[in-house]
Amino acid sequence: MAETEPLQKPTYIPLQELQKHNKRGDAWIAIDGKIYDVSKWANHHPGGETPLLNLAGQDVTDAFLAFHPPSAYKRLDAFFTGNYLRDYTVSEVSRDYRSLFSELTKLGLFEDKGHGVLILLSLIVVMFCVSVYGVLFSDSMVVHVLCGGLMGFLWIQSGWLGHDSGHYQIMVNRKWNRFMQILSGNVLAGISIGWWRWNHNAHHLACNSLDFDPDLQHLPFFVVSSKFFTSLTSCFYGRKMNFDSFARFLVSYQHWSYYPVMCFARLNLFAQSFFLLLSNRKVPNRKMELLGLLAFWIWYPLLVSFLPNWREKVLFVLASFAVTGIQHVQFTLNHFSASVYVGPPTAHDWFEKQAHGTLDVSSSSWMDWFHGGLQFQIEHHLFPRLPRRNLRKIAPLVKDLCKKHNLPYTCVSFWKANVLTVQTLRNAALQARDLTKPVPRNLVWEAVNTHG
């Protein structure tokens, strides 16, 4: 009888050793105490390399649990290094978070998507047809402007579909889910779903980090903290965010320009979509994405061209942009007035970071269609794969967990959220005017501020 080979003794390494493997080409992560080398996987990761590189060298158990379905665990074996994390411990907050996650999974809430997608898609089709019909068959300028506003409302609802399909599978299979992403994002709204996922994944992982979260990096138009005045470097865009005299001028009045700029924030999303798709970055399904954008830039200008004169064309475009500006306001309300920090995201305090960096907006259930799930922002950040129809169900559980661990659970009215956001912008604006070491002021600044 042949002798059996002795089992290889597991190797345990300290956290300090794991932390050394935190860069491109040498990226290790720990999940449930086991260490994986994801250096080569970074180029193939469906969520892009940014999430892996941002959290490399850390125990990412909670973040992995939040963003991946159970089937993803099966793929981890291919990256296992044979090493384990020495003295692996789990905090009380993380233990309770994982316990709640397990409970929601057993209840089937991650799979219980309902028929909301079909209903919303049908509503989008109706709105599109009504808007097109009003443009083509009505001679009333008022009707044409209302049709423009309806188009903006369509963009909002298609945005919610794109957001949902980017976080979890809303269709029967991955192929149809991808089709829905391209349709709701690229074709209907003119925004690359690839760009959105790249941006949004970074936002979720580095929630409210001034230098890692792209959703807070809006210089020269907006800043939410005086820390931007030191010209921080964006680790997402890979460039310095210069706080020069021009930026100071705009920031000094940002609490007044906030809503007008939000009406045209879509222009930035259009530009960012093309910047990514025409760049050298690896973008999955690049050709399909570009074809989707091409479709949008054919049907939307063509529809506008049927309006009788330039005045009505401009009003139609302004109405569509202004209405969809509501959604851009919604995107910022949940984070602009929350706690911020400087530095890379840390995975050991996953729950804590999400609680501190987000706030909920209270609303009646019949207004859920308006908020698209973003009113339960804390719940969404903790459980991003949870279908939005179930966020209201788990809100009391999340609130209790925050209370148990003395973590903030901020929930305010839509009006109050707007007030807090404007107050945050105003505070930063006033600080921008009173710096002790001002940057060189340009002629516009001098003209506006001379003699007080």
Side-chain angles (χ1 to χ4, degrees):
M1 182 175 178
E3 294 184 4
T4 58
E5 294 184 3
L7 295 176
Q8 186 176 0
K9 187 177 180 179
T11 303
Y12 292 88
I13 66 173
L15 179 61
Q16 292 80 358
E17 177 63 25
L18 172 65
Q19 292 172 340
K20 296 177 182 178
H21 303 273
N22 63 350
K23 51 186 174 294
R24 183 179 285 108
D26 183 21
W28 288 13
I29 59 174
I31 299 175
D32 292 324
K34 300 177 69 174
I35 300 190
Y36 303 90
D37 184 350
V38 293
S39 306
K40 296 181 179 179
W41 174 242
N43 290 328
H44 307 283
H45 184 233
E49 69 171 7
T50 301
L52 292 179
L53 296 180
N54 281 354
L55 296 182
Q58 303 183 53
D59 173 14
V60 302
T61 305
D62 290 344
F64 184 86
L65 187 68
F67 284 96
H68 298 83
S71 58
Y73 278 90
K74 300 177 182 178
R75 308 194 67 172
L76 288 176
D77 290 340
F79 310 109
F80 183 47
T81 63
N83 299 319
Y84 293 81
L85 192 61
R86 183 188 301 168
D87 301 325
Y88 172 62
T89 59
V90 182
S91 69
E92 288 296 325
V93 180
S94 289
R95 184 175 289 109
D96 284 347
Y97 170 67
R98 296 174 195 181
S99 177
L100 178 56
F101 197 102
S102 178
E103 182 181 345
L104 301 182
T105 301
K106 291 178 181 178
L107 292 173
L109 294 186
F110 288 97
E111 305 301 326
D112 180 23
K113 300 180 177 65
H115 303 287
V117 174
L118 180 60
I119 296 173
L120 184 53
L121 190 58
S122 300
L123 176 63
I124 288 174
V125 171
V126 170
M127 288 189 293
F128 184 84
C129 292
V130 170
S131 184
V132 171
Y133 182 86
V135 169
L136 298 181
F137 298 102
S138 175
D139 296 326
S140 171
M141 183 179 72
V142 174
V143 171
H144 292 163
V145 174
L146 290 175
C147 288
L150 186 62
M151 187 60 67
F153 189 70
L154 181 154
W155 287 343
I156 291 177
Q157 296 306 314
S158 69
W160 300 144
L161 269 185
H163 177 264
D164 292 347
S165 64
H167 276 295
Y168 53 89
Q169 189 171 301
I170 65 174
M171 304 299 286
V172 293
N173 55 52
R174 290 182 178 272
K175 183 178 179 180
W176 279 105
N177 197 68
R178 181 63 184 172
F179 171 79
M180 182 57 65
Q181 290 176 337
I182 298 294
L183 175 64
S184 60
N186 300 56
V187 177
L188 287 177
I191 298 172
S192 163
I193 193 66
W195 170 83
W196 176 85
R197 292 184 66 182
W198 175 49
N199 180 283
H200 201 63
N201 285 337
H203 160 65
H204 267 266
L205 287 174
C207 179
N208 275 31
S209 167
L210 298 181
D211 47 344
F212 279 80
D213 184 355
D215 279 11
L216 293 186
Q217 298 170 1
H218 301 297
L219 269 173
F221 296 102
F222 303 121
V223 302
V224 297
S225 169
S226 60
K227 294 177 181 179
F228 276 110
F229 301 163
T230 60
S231 296
L232 296 172
T233 295
S234 169
C235 296
F236 178 78
Y237 293 109
R239 58 177 173 78
K240 191 175 184 180
M241 296 178 287
N242 291 315
F243 186 73
D244 52 21
S245 57
F246 177 67
R248 171 172 295 183
F249 170 71
L250 294 181
V251 167
S252 295
Y253 301 95
Q254 63 179 3
H255 51 304
W256 294 107
S257 63
Y258 172 62
Y259 292 108
V261 169
M262 288 296 104
C263 289
F264 299 97
R266 199 167 199 80
L267 293 174
N268 178 55
L269 305 192
F270 290 158
Q272 293 295 337
S273 296
F274 279 109
F275 288 157
L276 176 64
L277 295 180
L278 298 179
S279 71
N280 294 325
R281 291 185 60 90
K282 183 177 179 181
V283 181
N285 304 296
R286 186 191 301 268
K287 292 182 179 179
M288 186 183 299
E289 292 246 10
L290 285 170
L291 286 175
L293 291 188
L294 179 63
F296 172 82
W297 288 107
I298 289 176
W299 75 258
Y300 184 66
L302 183 62
L303 179 63
V304 174
S305 71
F306 280 99
L307 291 164
N309 54 64
W310 279 106
R311 179 186 180 188
E312 295 194 22
K313 292 175 182 177
V314 171
L315 288 175
F316 181 92
V317 173
L318 289 178
S320 60
F321 275 53
V323 170
T324 198
I326 296 172
Q327 188 175 62
H328 295 290
V329 170
Q330 290 172 301
F331 288 152
T332 60
L333 292 182
N334 302 114
H335 300 288
F336 269 23
S337 61
S339 298
V340 298
Y341 65 99
V342 176
T346 50
H348 68 274
D349 55 356
W350 169 259
F351 192 107
E352 295 93 325
K353 277 289 196 300
Q354 309 306 321
H356 281 285
T358 57
L359 65 84
D360 280 7
V361 175
S362 62
S363 68
S364 301
S365 58
W366 66 271
M367 281 294 287
D368 286 354
W369 60 270
F370 175 75
H371 295 285
L374 296 192
Q375 75 274 37
F376 297 109
Q377 190 73 183
I378 301 175
E379 290 76 11
H380 171 61
H381 267 253
L382 292 173
F383 305 99
R385 291 192 305 106
L386 192 73
R388 64 164 125 150
R389 71 190 300 265
N390 295 327
L391 293 174
R392 184 176 290 275
K393 297 178 183 178
I394 72 164
L397 302 176
V398 173
K399 184 177 181 179
D400 288 344
L401 201 53
C402 288
K403 183 178 180 179
K404 176 181 178 180
H405 295 285
N406 295 317
L407 293 172
Y409 184 89
T410 308
C411 184
V412 298
S413 67
F414 184 69
W415 171 259
K416 181 64 175 180
N418 276 269
V419 171
L420 291 174
T421 297
V422 173
Q423 285 178 345
T424 299
L425 295 173
R426 182 177 182 274
N427 291 339
L430 295 180
Q431 292 178 67
R433 300 178 187 182
D434 296 330
L435 286 182
T436 58
K437 295 182 180 180
V439 297
R441 296 175 176 175
N442 59 20
L443 293 178
V444 176
W445 173 276
E446 296 291 352
V448 173
N449 291 278
T450 300
H451 306 302

PDB file of all heavy atoms in Angstrom, residues 364-387:
ATOM      1  N   SER A 364     -43.005  58.654   1.810  1.00  0.00           N
ATOM      2  CA  SER A 364     -44.083  57.663   1.828  1.00  0.00           C
ATOM      3  C   SER A 364     -43.807  56.609   0.756  1.00  0.00           C
ATOM      4  O   SER A 364     -43.116  56.874  -0.228  1.00  0.00           O
ATOM      5  CB  SER A 364     -45.433  58.333   1.561  1.00  0.00           C
ATOM      6  OG  SER A 364     -45.703  59.325   2.544  1.00  0.00           O
ATOM      7  N   SER A 365     -44.362  55.431   0.949  1.00  0.00           N
ATOM      8  CA  SER A 365     -44.119  54.335   0.009  1.00  0.00           C
ATOM      9  C   SER A 365     -44.619  54.658  -1.390  1.00  0.00           C
ATOM     10  O   SER A 365     -44.047  54.192  -2.382  1.00  0.00           O
ATOM     11  CB  SER A 365     -44.773  53.050   0.523  1.00  0.00           C
ATOM     12  OG  SER A 365     -46.174  53.233   0.700  1.00  0.00           O
ATOM     13  N   TRP A 366     -45.661  55.491  -1.492  1.00  0.00           N
ATOM     14  CA  TRP A 366     -46.186  55.796  -2.823  1.00  0.00           C
ATOM     15  C   TRP A 366     -45.266  56.733  -3.602  1.00  0.00           C
ATOM     16  O   TRP A 366     -45.466  56.952  -4.804  1.00  0.00           O
ATOM     17  CB  TRP A 366     -47.591  56.415  -2.721  1.00  0.00           C
ATOM     18  CG  TRP A 366     -47.652  57.753  -2.065  1.00  0.00           C
ATOM     19  CD1 TRP A 366     -47.802  58.014  -0.744  1.00  0.00           C
ATOM     20  CD2 TRP A 366     -47.567  59.032  -2.707  1.00  0.00           C
ATOM     21  NE1 TRP A 366     -47.815  59.363  -0.503  1.00  0.00           N
ATOM     22  CE2 TRP A 366     -47.679  60.020  -1.700  1.00  0.00           C
ATOM     23  CE3 TRP A 366     -47.429  59.454  -4.029  1.00  0.00           C
ATOM     24  CZ2 TRP A 366     -47.640  61.383  -1.979  1.00  0.00           C
ATOM     25  CZ3 TRP A 366     -47.382  60.808  -4.308  1.00  0.00           C
ATOM     26  CH2 TRP A 366     -47.484  61.756  -3.292  1.00  0.00           C
ATOM     27  N   MET A 367     -44.213  57.255  -2.928  1.00  0.00           N
ATOM     28  CA  MET A 367     -43.236  58.101  -3.623  1.00  0.00           C
ATOM     29  C   MET A 367     -41.946  57.355  -3.961  1.00  0.00           C
ATOM     30  O   MET A 367     -40.976  57.962  -4.422  1.00  0.00           O
ATOM     31  CB  MET A 367     -42.897  59.315  -2.740  1.00  0.00           C
ATOM     32  CG  MET A 367     -43.943  60.418  -2.774  1.00  0.00           C
ATOM     33  SD  MET A 367     -44.061  61.208  -4.398  1.00  0.00           S
ATOM     34  CE  MET A 367     -42.538  62.169  -4.408  1.00  0.00           C
ATOM     35  N   ASP A 368     -41.933  56.054  -3.762  1.00  0.00           N
ATOM     36  CA  ASP A 368     -40.723  55.280  -4.057  1.00  0.00           C
ATOM     37  C   ASP A 368     -40.322  55.393  -5.519  1.00  0.00           C
ATOM     38  O   ASP A 368     -39.136  55.356  -5.861  1.00  0.00           O
ATOM     39  CB  ASP A 368     -40.935  53.810  -3.687  1.00  0.00           C
ATOM     40  CG  ASP A 368     -40.916  53.588  -2.181  1.00  0.00           C
ATOM     41  OD1 ASP A 368     -40.621  54.553  -1.440  1.00  0.00           O
ATOM     42  OD2 ASP A 368     -41.209  52.462  -1.742  1.00  0.00           O
ATOM     43  N   TRP A 369     -41.286  55.523  -6.413  1.00  0.00           N
ATOM     44  CA  TRP A 369     -40.988  55.657  -7.845  1.00  0.00           C
ATOM     45  C   TRP A 369     -40.169  56.914  -8.114  1.00  0.00           C
ATOM     46  O   TRP A 369     -39.356  56.964  -9.047  1.00  0.00           O
ATOM     47  CB  TRP A 369     -42.290  55.730  -8.646  1.00  0.00           C
ATOM     48  CG  TRP A 369     -43.151  56.910  -8.256  1.00  0.00           C
ATOM     49  CD1 TRP A 369     -44.113  56.928  -7.296  1.00  0.00           C
ATOM     50  CD2 TRP A 369     -43.087  58.234  -8.781  1.00  0.00           C
ATOM     51  NE1 TRP A 369     -44.662  58.191  -7.185  1.00  0.00           N
ATOM     52  CE2 TRP A 369     -44.060  59.014  -8.087  1.00  0.00           C
ATOM     53  CE3 TRP A 369     -42.325  58.854  -9.770  1.00  0.00           C
ATOM     54  CZ2 TRP A 369     -44.266  60.368  -8.358  1.00  0.00           C
ATOM     55  CZ3 TRP A 369     -42.523  60.199 -10.033  1.00  0.00           C
ATOM     56  CH2 TRP A 369     -43.495  60.938  -9.337  1.00  0.00           C
ATOM     57  N   PHE A 370     -40.389  57.943  -7.299  1.00  0.00           N
ATOM     58  CA  PHE A 370     -39.717  59.232  -7.507  1.00  0.00           C
ATOM     59  C   PHE A 370     -38.239  59.157  -7.105  1.00  0.00           C
ATOM     60  O   PHE A 370     -37.372  59.700  -7.786  1.00  0.00           O
ATOM     61  CB  PHE A 370     -40.432  60.314  -6.688  1.00  0.00           C
ATOM     62  CG  PHE A 370     -39.755  61.662  -6.726  1.00  0.00           C
ATOM     63  CD1 PHE A 370     -39.838  62.462  -7.850  1.00  0.00           C
ATOM     64  CD2 PHE A 370     -39.047  62.127  -5.628  1.00  0.00           C
ATOM     65  CE1 PHE A 370     -39.214  63.709  -7.890  1.00  0.00           C
ATOM     66  CE2 PHE A 370     -38.422  63.370  -5.648  1.00  0.00           C
ATOM     67  CZ  PHE A 370     -38.505  64.160  -6.792  1.00  0.00           C
ATOM     68  N   HIS A 371     -37.960  58.464  -6.007  1.00  0.00           N
ATOM     69  CA  HIS A 371     -36.598  58.416  -5.479  1.00  0.00           C
ATOM     70  C   HIS A 371     -35.771  57.274  -6.061  1.00  0.00           C
ATOM     71  O   HIS A 371     -34.548  57.273  -5.933  1.00  0.00           O
ATOM     72  CB  HIS A 371     -36.639  58.296  -3.958  1.00  0.00           C
ATOM     73  CG  HIS A 371     -37.225  59.485  -3.267  1.00  0.00           C
ATOM     74  ND1 HIS A 371     -36.544  60.680  -3.123  1.00  0.00           N
ATOM     75  CD2 HIS A 371     -38.434  59.671  -2.688  1.00  0.00           C
ATOM     76  CE1 HIS A 371     -37.301  61.545  -2.477  1.00  0.00           C
ATOM     77  NE2 HIS A 371     -38.452  60.963  -2.198  1.00  0.00           N
ATOM     78  N   GLY A 372     -36.417  56.287  -6.650  1.00  0.00           N
ATOM     79  CA  GLY A 372     -35.686  55.202  -7.287  1.00  0.00           C
ATOM     80  C   GLY A 372     -34.848  54.365  -6.350  1.00  0.00           C
ATOM     81  O   GLY A 372     -33.877  53.723  -6.770  1.00  0.00           O
ATOM     82  N   GLY A 373     -35.182  54.348  -5.072  1.00  0.00           N
ATOM     83  CA  GLY A 373     -34.422  53.574  -4.100  1.00  0.00           C
ATOM     84  C   GLY A 373     -33.349  54.376  -3.390  1.00  0.00           C
ATOM     85  O   GLY A 373     -32.819  53.933  -2.356  1.00  0.00           O
ATOM     86  N   LEU A 374     -33.005  55.558  -3.912  1.00  0.00           N
ATOM     87  CA  LEU A 374     -31.938  56.346  -3.303  1.00  0.00           C
ATOM     88  C   LEU A 374     -32.351  56.957  -1.975  1.00  0.00           C
ATOM     89  O   LEU A 374     -31.497  57.440  -1.230  1.00  0.00           O
ATOM     90  CB  LEU A 374     -31.488  57.455  -4.255  1.00  0.00           C
ATOM     91  CG  LEU A 374     -30.839  57.019  -5.572  1.00  0.00           C
ATOM     92  CD1 LEU A 374     -30.197  58.211  -6.257  1.00  0.00           C
ATOM     93  CD2 LEU A 374     -29.814  55.930  -5.346  1.00  0.00           C
ATOM     94  N   GLN A 375     -33.660  56.954  -1.677  1.00  0.00           N
ATOM     95  CA  GLN A 375     -34.077  57.474  -0.375  1.00  0.00           C
ATOM     96  C   GLN A 375     -33.613  56.559   0.753  1.00  0.00           C
ATOM     97  O   GLN A 375     -33.519  56.979   1.898  1.00  0.00           O
ATOM     98  CB  GLN A 375     -35.602  57.676  -0.332  1.00  0.00           C
ATOM     99  CG  GLN A 375     -36.431  56.410  -0.195  1.00  0.00           C
ATOM    100  CD  GLN A 375     -36.738  55.753  -1.516  1.00  0.00           C
ATOM    101  OE1 GLN A 375     -35.931  55.738  -2.431  1.00  0.00           O
ATOM    102  NE2 GLN A 375     -37.937  55.215  -1.640  1.00  0.00           N
ATOM    103  N   PHE A 376     -33.313  55.301   0.433  1.00  0.00           N
ATOM    104  CA  PHE A 376     -32.750  54.367   1.407  1.00  0.00           C
ATOM    105  C   PHE A 376     -31.266  54.177   1.084  1.00  0.00           C
ATOM    106  O   PHE A 376     -30.809  53.078   0.781  1.00  0.00           O
ATOM    107  CB  PHE A 376     -33.499  53.032   1.353  1.00  0.00           C
ATOM    108  CG  PHE A 376     -34.950  53.140   1.735  1.00  0.00           C
ATOM    109  CD1 PHE A 376     -35.939  53.011   0.783  1.00  0.00           C
ATOM    110  CD2 PHE A 376     -35.313  53.396   3.051  1.00  0.00           C
ATOM    111  CE1 PHE A 376     -37.287  53.114   1.129  1.00  0.00           C
ATOM    112  CE2 PHE A 376     -36.654  53.502   3.414  1.00  0.00           C
ATOM    113  CZ  PHE A 376     -37.648  53.369   2.442  1.00  0.00           C
ATOM    114  N   GLN A 377     -30.539  55.267   1.159  1.00  0.00           N
ATOM    115  CA  GLN A 377     -29.154  55.255   0.719  1.00  0.00           C
ATOM    116  C   GLN A 377     -28.251  54.431   1.639  1.00  0.00           C
ATOM    117  O   GLN A 377     -27.350  53.731   1.165  1.00  0.00           O
ATOM    118  CB  GLN A 377     -28.617  56.685   0.633  1.00  0.00           C
ATOM    119  CG  GLN A 377     -27.269  56.799  -0.034  1.00  0.00           C
ATOM    120  CD  GLN A 377     -27.320  56.583  -1.543  1.00  0.00           C
ATOM    121  OE1 GLN A 377     -26.300  56.589  -2.195  1.00  0.00           O
ATOM    122  NE2 GLN A 377     -28.505  56.406  -2.096  1.00  0.00           N
ATOM    123  N   ILE A 378     -28.474  54.497   2.940  1.00  0.00           N
ATOM    124  CA  ILE A 378     -27.660  53.701   3.868  1.00  0.00           C
ATOM    125  C   ILE A 378     -27.868  52.214   3.584  1.00  0.00           C
ATOM    126  O   ILE A 378     -26.914  51.446   3.473  1.00  0.00           O
ATOM    127  CB  ILE A 378     -28.022  54.024   5.331  1.00  0.00           C
ATOM    128  CG1 ILE A 378     -27.797  55.506   5.622  1.00  0.00           C
ATOM    129  CG2 ILE A 378     -27.209  53.159   6.293  1.00  0.00           C
ATOM    130  CD1 ILE A 378     -28.236  55.938   7.008  1.00  0.00           C
ATOM    131  N   GLU A 379     -29.130  51.828   3.451  1.00  0.00           N
ATOM    132  CA  GLU A 379     -29.443  50.431   3.164  1.00  0.00           C
ATOM    133  C   GLU A 379     -28.850  50.002   1.826  1.00  0.00           C
ATOM    134  O   GLU A 379     -28.304  48.890   1.700  1.00  0.00           O
ATOM    135  CB  GLU A 379     -30.961  50.221   3.145  1.00  0.00           C
ATOM    136  CG  GLU A 379     -31.644  50.326   4.500  1.00  0.00           C
ATOM    137  CD  GLU A 379     -31.804  51.765   4.997  1.00  0.00           C
ATOM    138  OE1 GLU A 379     -31.568  52.699   4.201  1.00  0.00           O
ATOM    139  OE2 GLU A 379     -32.169  51.960   6.169  1.00  0.00           O
ATOM    140  N   HIS A 380     -28.956  50.879   0.834  1.00  0.00           N
ATOM    141  CA  HIS A 380     -28.428  50.549  -0.494  1.00  0.00           C
ATOM    142  C   HIS A 380     -26.911  50.391  -0.469  1.00  0.00           C
ATOM    143  O   HIS A 380     -26.357  49.497  -1.117  1.00  0.00           O
ATOM    144  CB  HIS A 380     -28.827  51.636  -1.501  1.00  0.00           C
ATOM    145  CG  HIS A 380     -28.149  51.488  -2.826  1.00  0.00           C
ATOM    146  ND1 HIS A 380     -28.303  50.374  -3.621  1.00  0.00           N
ATOM    147  CD2 HIS A 380     -27.289  52.304  -3.495  1.00  0.00           C
ATOM    148  CE1 HIS A 380     -27.582  50.513  -4.725  1.00  0.00           C
ATOM    149  NE2 HIS A 380     -26.949  51.669  -4.670  1.00  0.00           N
ATOM    150  N   HIS A 381     -26.221  51.230   0.279  1.00  0.00           N
ATOM    151  CA  HIS A 381     -24.762  51.130   0.339  1.00  0.00           C
ATOM    152  C   HIS A 381     -24.316  49.886   1.114  1.00  0.00           C
ATOM    153  O   HIS A 381     -23.271  49.310   0.801  1.00  0.00           O
ATOM    154  CB  HIS A 381     -24.168  52.391   0.977  1.00  0.00           C
ATOM    155  CG  HIS A 381     -23.781  53.421  -0.028  1.00  0.00           C
ATOM    156  ND1 HIS A 381     -22.472  53.684  -0.345  1.00  0.00           N
ATOM    157  CD2 HIS A 381     -24.533  54.230  -0.818  1.00  0.00           C
ATOM    158  CE1 HIS A 381     -22.425  54.627  -1.279  1.00  0.00           C
ATOM    159  NE2 HIS A 381     -23.655  54.977  -1.568  1.00  0.00           N
ATOM    160  N   LEU A 382     -25.072  49.482   2.099  1.00  0.00           N
ATOM    161  CA  LEU A 382     -24.728  48.283   2.849  1.00  0.00           C
ATOM    162  C   LEU A 382     -25.060  47.014   2.074  1.00  0.00           C
ATOM    163  O   LEU A 382     -24.339  46.010   2.172  1.00  0.00           O
ATOM    164  CB  LEU A 382     -25.455  48.266   4.192  1.00  0.00           C
ATOM    165  CG  LEU A 382     -25.013  49.317   5.211  1.00  0.00           C
ATOM    166  CD1 LEU A 382     -25.935  49.292   6.424  1.00  0.00           C
ATOM    167  CD2 LEU A 382     -23.570  49.074   5.645  1.00  0.00           C
ATOM    168  N   PHE A 383     -26.133  47.069   1.288  1.00  0.00           N
ATOM    169  CA  PHE A 383     -26.575  45.897   0.525  1.00  0.00           C
ATOM    170  C   PHE A 383     -26.868  46.317  -0.918  1.00  0.00           C
ATOM    171  O   PHE A 383     -28.028  46.362  -1.342  1.00  0.00           O
ATOM    172  CB  PHE A 383     -27.832  45.292   1.172  1.00  0.00           C
ATOM    173  CG  PHE A 383     -27.665  44.955   2.620  1.00  0.00           C
ATOM    174  CD1 PHE A 383     -28.129  45.822   3.604  1.00  0.00           C
ATOM    175  CD2 PHE A 383     -27.028  43.784   3.011  1.00  0.00           C
ATOM    176  CE1 PHE A 383     -27.971  45.508   4.954  1.00  0.00           C
ATOM    177  CE2 PHE A 383     -26.865  43.469   4.356  1.00  0.00           C
ATOM    178  CZ  PHE A 383     -27.342  44.331   5.325  1.00  0.00           C
ATOM    179  N   PRO A 384     -25.826  46.646  -1.694  1.00  0.00           N
ATOM    180  CA  PRO A 384     -26.035  47.181  -3.046  1.00  0.00           C
ATOM    181  C   PRO A 384     -26.714  46.208  -4.016  1.00  0.00           C
ATOM    182  O   PRO A 384     -27.293  46.650  -5.009  1.00  0.00           O
ATOM    183  CB  PRO A 384     -24.615  47.527  -3.512  1.00  0.00           C
ATOM    184  CG  PRO A 384     -23.707  46.724  -2.641  1.00  0.00           C
ATOM    185  CD  PRO A 384     -24.405  46.607  -1.325  1.00  0.00           C
ATOM    186  N   ARG A 385     -26.663  44.901  -3.727  1.00  0.00           N
ATOM    187  CA  ARG A 385     -27.311  43.935  -4.623  1.00  0.00           C
ATOM    188  C   ARG A 385     -28.780  43.701  -4.268  1.00  0.00           C
ATOM    189  O   ARG A 385     -29.467  42.948  -4.952  1.00  0.00           O
ATOM    190  CB  ARG A 385     -26.575  42.595  -4.586  1.00  0.00           C
ATOM    191  CG  ARG A 385     -25.199  42.603  -5.209  1.00  0.00           C
ATOM    192  CD  ARG A 385     -24.664  41.183  -5.403  1.00  0.00           C
ATOM    193  NE  ARG A 385     -24.657  40.418  -4.170  1.00  0.00           N
ATOM    194  CZ  ARG A 385     -25.525  39.443  -3.885  1.00  0.00           C
ATOM    195  NH1 ARG A 385     -26.483  39.136  -4.739  1.00  0.00           N
ATOM    196  NH2 ARG A 385     -25.456  38.804  -2.737  1.00  0.00           N
ATOM    197  N   LEU A 386     -29.240  44.335  -3.226  1.00  0.00           N
ATOM    198  CA  LEU A 386     -30.627  44.132  -2.806  1.00  0.00           C
ATOM    199  C   LEU A 386     -31.567  44.924  -3.710  1.00  0.00           C
ATOM    200  O   LEU A 386     -31.405  46.137  -3.864  1.00  0.00           O
ATOM    201  CB  LEU A 386     -30.800  44.581  -1.354  1.00  0.00           C
ATOM    202  CG  LEU A 386     -32.124  44.175  -0.686  1.00  0.00           C
ATOM    203  CD1 LEU A 386     -32.120  42.676  -0.391  1.00  0.00           C
ATOM    204  CD2 LEU A 386     -32.330  44.963   0.603  1.00  0.00           C
ATOM    205  N   PRO A 387     -32.550  44.268  -4.337  1.00  0.00           N
ATOM    206  CA  PRO A 387     -33.516  44.985  -5.183  1.00  0.00           C
ATOM    207  C   PRO A 387     -34.175  46.120  -4.417  1.00  0.00           C
ATOM    208  O   PRO A 387     -34.502  45.979  -3.236  1.00  0.00           O
ATOM    209  CB  PRO A 387     -34.529  43.900  -5.562  1.00  0.00           C
ATOM    210  CG  PRO A 387     -33.736  42.630  -5.516  1.00  0.00           C
ATOM    211  CD  PRO A 387     -32.782  42.809  -4.362  1.00  0.00           C
TER     212      PRO A 387
END
